[in-house]
Amino acid sequence: MKFFGYRRPDGRVGTRNHVLILPTVVCANQVAESISQLVRGTVTFAHQHGCAQLGKDLEQTIRTLVGFANNPNVYGVLVVGLGCEGALPEIVSAGIEKSGKPVRSLTIQEHGGTLASIAAGARIAADLVQRASTEQKVECDVSEILLGTECGGSDACSGLSANPVLGYVSDKLIDMGGTVILAETTELIGAEHILARRAASPKAAEDLMAAIRRTEEGANAMGVDMRGSQPSPGNIEGGLTTIEEKSLGCIHKAGSRPLQEVVSYASCPSMRGLVMMDTPGHDIEQITGMVAGGANVVIFTTGRGTATGTPVAPVIKVASNSETICRMGENIDFSAETVISGEETIEQVGERLFGELLAVCSGKLTKSEIFGHHEFAINRIGPTI
Amino acid sequence: MGLGREALHVHEKDNVAVALCALKAGTIVKVSTRGGAEVTVRLSDDVPFGHKFALRDIQQGESVIKYGEVIGVATRPIRQGQHVHTQNVDSLRGRGDKR
């Protein structure tokens, strides 16, 4: 099976062709935003980090910024920094240059401030956008798809319809040589033993259990017992009886194939197939981490509804039931409600969602893209000093 | 609602089904199981939307199976057609309404 995508210098395939204006630090957000508004065809985001960070926390922030820019959906990058931050433009650019894609850099303190930086940046961005527009799509195999899976705003139906349907798509994609990322470590607690049983290697199982332990220890350090508080009262009222049941509903979105490896936040998988990324359950930090890890498309199941997207990748919103459509239909791309009504089986809806996945990878826009959703958040693992 | 399906059997190994609308005690529900057979169950309890009921008798101490996996253990004998939830099931890995 094929789709039409953009082949990048590093060999990976993008489903989009963005020019990214990347602020390395919170102090550069405004200039990046202004450049992006002046030049059509660019995307940008804002974040709160890049400075006053230490050690592994700073490394993770830099890894996320670099990984995001290296995502194959990005044609080229303008890195915008202030000039005295931890995540200096030179450091971030050096990481992006390895991909072979066009990268330019701008430091506000060296340009004389806001207006001069915006002008210089807009000229660079205009050149990048024009060059990007000459890129042509080529026919690519579905095995080049790296699918990020996510569930957010789940309801009683999510684990019955949307997640199993996404699981069907995950299995099909993996069987065709593609890669699927399962994330949100928090949501695996209670079903980790089931996932560990499916580990393709002892290392994958150990890394999974280690990630779960770290998440629980982090919660305990804040005085919260994760297992004891799940399912929540709302979940119980909705019909979820045990934490295993809740987590099973969640892991179903990644299907049933063996777990190949566990990667850290914003790291690229080294293997094809089902991969787990250690991310928090925070919807935006999770998407950002998966996209920084190379996900060129995301499928996001929801029951209560959510509008969020990401600047450089299409996010396909899948509704779990017809109520979601009533509540937030404008933000939904695909509905799994017929599984609930009985009109279709999980397999039938899964086949249709797979078709939608290929259409989106070949260029069909998702609601989150159409409405300009550029949510972005980096997972922090250390204090701001 | 569509073909009028009232309950969903998620996996062929499951010994519970999920109510797709609020069901009253006394209702006779026809469940198309994933294995292909149809099971007729008379509900002895009200089962709210999204909640589970037993597809067959489950012994005290027996596993409750959903998604083809163990989601908990029956703390009391459960009869076919009874509401299956926190009042008769315990988690093996932690529980939210008990402190």
Side-chain angles (χ1 to χ4, degrees):
Chain A
M1 275 199 180
K2 307 288 178 192
F3 70 100
F4 284 92
Y6 298 91
R7 180 75 60 188
R8 299 301 179 202
D10 67 1
R12 292 192 285 171
V13 171
T15 62
R16 298 293 185 261
N17 194 35
H18 291 300
V19 169
L20 175 64
I21 316 297
L22 188 158
T24 58
V25 63
V26 55
C27 320
N29 284 346
Q30 197 82 344
V31 167
E33 170 69 25
S34 298
I35 293 168
S36 187
Q37 285 190 4
L38 276 174
V39 182
R40 193 166 156 251
T42 59
V43 292
T44 190
F45 55 82
H47 66 101
Q48 310 309 314
H49 316 296
C51 199
Q53 293 177 241
L54 300 172
K56 289 201 180 317
D57 179 48
L58 178 60
E59 273 170 40
Q60 179 154 296
T61 289
I62 293 173
R63 182 172 73 244
T64 307
L65 293 172
V66 169
F68 210 78
N70 279 343
N71 185 290
N73 290 359
V74 176
Y75 163 81
V77 193
L78 169 59
V79 174
V80 182
L82 178 60
C84 49
E85 63 268 39
L88 281 168
E90 303 89 89
I91 301 175
V92 175
S93 295
I96 302 169
E97 269 152 25
K98 293 182 187 145
S99 68
K101 67 178 66 177
V103 54
R104 301 283 301 278
S105 176
L106 165 62
T107 302
I108 297 168
Q109 284 169 348
E110 287 167 17
H111 265 84
T114 302
L115 297 179
S117 300
I118 293 169
R123 286 189 198 101
I124 296 170
D127 173 61
L128 284 171
V129 162
Q130 190 160 55
R131 283 156 56 192
S133 69
T134 64
E135 289 292 292
Q136 299 295 318
K137 289 191 201 181
V138 295
E139 206 181 43
C140 303
D141 193 72
V142 293
S143 56
E144 307 273 13
I145 295 175
L146 207 173
L147 172 65
T149 64
E150 173 136 358
C151 56
S154 297
D155 66 359
C157 290
S158 298
L160 304 175
S161 59
N163 285 354
V165 163
L166 176 49
Y168 177 89
V169 168
S170 296
D171 283 349
K172 185 167 174 137
L173 181 62
I174 289 169
D175 291 347
M176 290 180 165
T179 306
V180 174
I181 301 177
L182 171 67
E184 35 190 349
T185 312
T186 333
E187 298 288 321
L188 308 182
I189 296 174
E192 69 272 26
H193 56 297
I194 293 166
L195 199 51
R197 257 192 349 243
R198 281 166 43 191
S201 67
K203 180 169 193 315
E206 275 158 34
D207 290 346
L208 167 65
M209 301 312 262
I212 300 276
R213 252 190 329 266
R214 269 194 312 269
T215 300
E216 281 198 273
E217 278 159 16
N220 288 341
M222 303 287 288
V224 173
D225 168 20
M226 297 226 53
R227 281 180 205 270
S229 63
Q230 294 295 322
S232 66
N235 293 149
I236 291 175
E237 207 184 300
L240 295 175
T241 309
T242 63
I243 193 175
E244 298 92 298
E245 185 180 6
K246 179 176 173 174
S247 296
L248 271 166
C250 190
I251 70 177
H252 257 70
K253 61 187 189 284
S256 63
R257 298 303 183 250
L259 177 67
Q260 299 298 331
E261 66 174 339
V262 177
V263 298
S264 58
Y265 185 84
S267 296
C268 293
S270 68
M271 303 173 97
R272 292 193 180 234
L274 177 62
V275 169
M276 189 207 143
M277 181 181 287
D278 185 14
T279 78
H282 186 290
D283 287 352
I284 316 305
E285 289 187 10
Q286 181 191 350
I287 293 188
T288 302
M290 293 194 296
V291 172
N296 47 20
V297 60
V298 175
I299 297 182
F300 188 141
T301 64
T302 183
R304 301 189 57 77
T306 165
T308 59
T310 184
V312 306
V315 177
I316 302 172
K317 288 284 170 47
V318 175
S320 68
N321 66 85
S322 49
E323 273 291 300
T324 325
I325 309 296
C326 295
R327 239 199 303 272
M328 285 186 71
E330 290 167 355
N331 303 104
I332 300 298
D333 298 292
F334 186 94
S335 177
E337 63 191 275
T338 49
V339 173
I340 303 296
S341 69
E343 285 163 77
E344 285 184 289
T345 62
I346 289 170
E347 291 77 14
Q348 285 169 326
V349 182
E351 279 294 317
R352 286 199 294 109
L353 180 56
F354 195 86
E356 180 75 5
L357 172 65
L358 293 187
V360 167
C361 287
S362 292
K364 179 179 178 181
L365 292 177
T366 61
K367 298 288 178 51
S368 64
E369 292 175 293
I370 293 168
F371 294 129
H373 281 275
H374 289 169
E375 285 82 6
F376 181 91
I378 300 176
N379 172 237
R380 292 287 303 276
I381 51 177
T384 305
I385 43 126
Chain B
M1 41 184 297
L3 299 174
R5 187 167 73 170
E6 292 164 311
L8 181 62
H9 188 228
V10 181
H11 188 284
E12 58 188 357
K13 286 187 191 159
D14 294 357
N15 51 15
V16 294
V18 181
L20 296 181
C21 50
L23 297 171
K24 288 279 171 212
T27 308
I28 308 228
V29 183
K30 290 197 166 85
V31 184
S32 300
T33 69
R34 301 279 286 164
E38 195 179 72
V39 177
T40 304
V41 178
R42 187 178 181 287
L43 299 182
S44 49
D45 300 317
D46 289 349
V47 182
F49 167 72
H51 286 233
K52 300 173 290 299
F53 59 89
L55 266 190
R56 55 167 181 74
D57 292 352
I58 303 173
Q59 312 298 322
Q60 181 171 343
E62 193 184 340
S63 298
V64 176
I65 314 273
K66 186 183 168 193
Y67 299 111
E69 302 280 356
V70 176
I71 61 161
V73 64
T75 53
R76 307 194 334 215
I78 303 175
R79 302 293 307 279
Q80 182 192 52
Q82 277 191 301
H83 181 212
V84 176
H85 201 32
T86 50
Q87 72 280 359
N88 50 22
V89 177
D90 246 359
S91 166
L92 294 164
R93 308 183 78 83
R95 172 137 158 199
D97 62 334
K98 283 182 174 163
R99 288 287 179 163

